[in-house]
Amino acid sequence: MQLFYNPNISDSSEFFTFDKEESKHIIKVLRKKDTDILHVTNGLGFLFKTEITLASDTKCTVRIISSEKAAPAKYHLHLVVAPTKMNDRYEWFLEKATEMGVGEITPVICDHSERKQIKTDRFDKIIQSAMKQSNQLYLPKLNEPLSFKDFISSHKSGLQLIAHCEETNKKTLKEILKPLQDVTILIGPEGDFSPSEIQMAIDHNYIPVSLGNTRLRTETAAIVACHSLVFINE
């Protein structure tokens, strides 16, 4: 199934018109025509079956034939991941985590972060594309970047974990994860979290965890954490 995304389509409408950019893509690039069927999601769990009634490359219009809503995930995974030095590595993480069903992502600026300025416009497009490619109906929530201190002070939800490389007592994900849990996992930058950040997280009831015996890149660690939660919920 080829899936299209538009946040403005709803089950209360009989017809829907795509914007100029998406209309051009549908008609000129994909060569869709009148009466062709398009499947569209609004990223909120709805799947709309629609039929093209006006195959215009400036305002492609469809009639909504039917709609259904998928059940939400039985758990919520919030990945809080420091930006990588190279943007393409963070973009790869966003794509793969979306494909695996992450629920929420927050870029977090840490003491050792080499990249402290983040523009999320491109990140949004990558997440949308990955959602469509993997035929998912829920769009992950991408939050604006926060400093580590601001995030720790404001966020309290579900099981809270911090993955770091310091030689201290840590639990493994296998020991601590259980099915149907809401989980927040902090993943640090290339230089890891600072000792003060680790202690701050512990003081706010975050549990230190290990992701294995090898030192992982930031984006790899995030994917390992994501896959571990997906696996335990299968």
Side-chain angles (χ1 to χ4, degrees):
M1 178 180 69
Q2 185 175 30
L3 187 63
F4 295 86
Y5 166 71
N6 194 291
N8 299 316
I9 190 170
S10 73
D11 57 347
S12 63
S13 302
E14 183 180 355
F15 293 91
F16 179 80
T17 300
F18 291 95
D19 61 27
K20 186 175 181 179
E21 181 180 356
E22 188 74 348
S23 295
K24 183 177 180 180
H25 177 72
I26 292 170
I27 304 304
K28 290 292 188 181
V29 179
L30 300 178
R31 300 184 182 279
K32 300 295 184 180
K33 57 187 183 300
D34 285 345
T35 73
D36 280 353
I37 300 297
L38 301 181
H39 292 92
V40 188
T41 183
N42 57 6
L44 300 175
F46 282 94
L47 177 64
F48 300 91
K49 182 179 180 181
T50 71
E51 179 186 40
I52 296 178
T53 58
L54 177 61
S56 166
D57 61 0
T58 59
K59 53 177 183 179
C60 176
T61 301
V62 296
R63 179 175 63 89
I64 298 174
I65 299 173
S66 64
S67 66
E68 57 184 283
K69 187 173 184 181
K74 297 178 180 179
Y75 65 94
H76 181 79
L77 172 59
H78 186 176
L79 287 175
V80 185
V81 184
T84 54
K85 183 178 180 181
M86 303 299 292
N87 256 343
D88 60 343
R89 287 166 47 196
Y90 204 85
E91 291 169 1
W92 177 86
F93 143 67
L94 291 172
E95 180 182 76
K96 302 310 172 189
T98 299
E99 289 177 12
M100 286 188 282
V102 66
E104 188 173 357
I105 299 166
T106 301
V108 63
I109 310 302
C110 304
D111 290 343
H112 297 159
S113 291
E114 294 188 63
R115 181 180 293 276
K116 297 183 183 292
Q117 298 296 322
I118 303 295
K119 295 182 179 180
T120 57
D121 290 350
R122 177 169 166 80
F123 289 174
D124 276 321
K125 292 180 179 179
I126 288 169
I127 288 173
Q128 292 171 17
S129 178
M131 178 194 67
K132 292 188 293 183
Q133 185 276 328
S134 55
N135 279 339
Q136 298 196 59
L137 303 180
Y138 285 92
L139 183 71
K141 181 182 180 183
L142 176 65
N143 297 315
E144 289 299 314
L146 288 175
S147 70
F148 183 90
K149 181 179 179 180
D150 286 345
F151 180 84
I152 288 292
S153 300
S154 63
H155 181 82
K156 297 184 184 300
S157 177
L159 181 66
Q160 301 177 147
L161 309 177
I162 179 170
H164 66 80
C165 301
E166 292 289 314
E167 295 296 330
T168 60
N169 289 330
K170 292 178 286 188
K171 294 182 178 293
T172 66
L173 290 181
K174 183 179 179 181
E175 291 175 310
I176 201 165
L177 290 181
K178 297 178 181 179
L180 309 182
Q181 280 181 313
D182 291 344
V183 181
T184 296
I185 303 180
L186 302 178
I187 305 291
E190 282 89 339
D192 202 7
F193 294 113
S194 67
S196 63
E197 287 173 331
I198 294 171
Q199 188 58 53
M200 188 188 303
I202 293 172
D203 291 343
H204 283 79
N205 299 316
Y206 279 77
I207 301 170
V209 294
S210 167
L211 299 179
N213 297 323
T214 59
R215 184 178 291 269
L216 304 175
R217 288 182 178 271
T218 295
E219 70 276 18
T220 309
I223 293 304
V224 167
C226 186
H227 180 263
S228 297
L229 194 64
V230 171
F231 182 77
I232 203 165
N233 279 280
E234 287 295 325

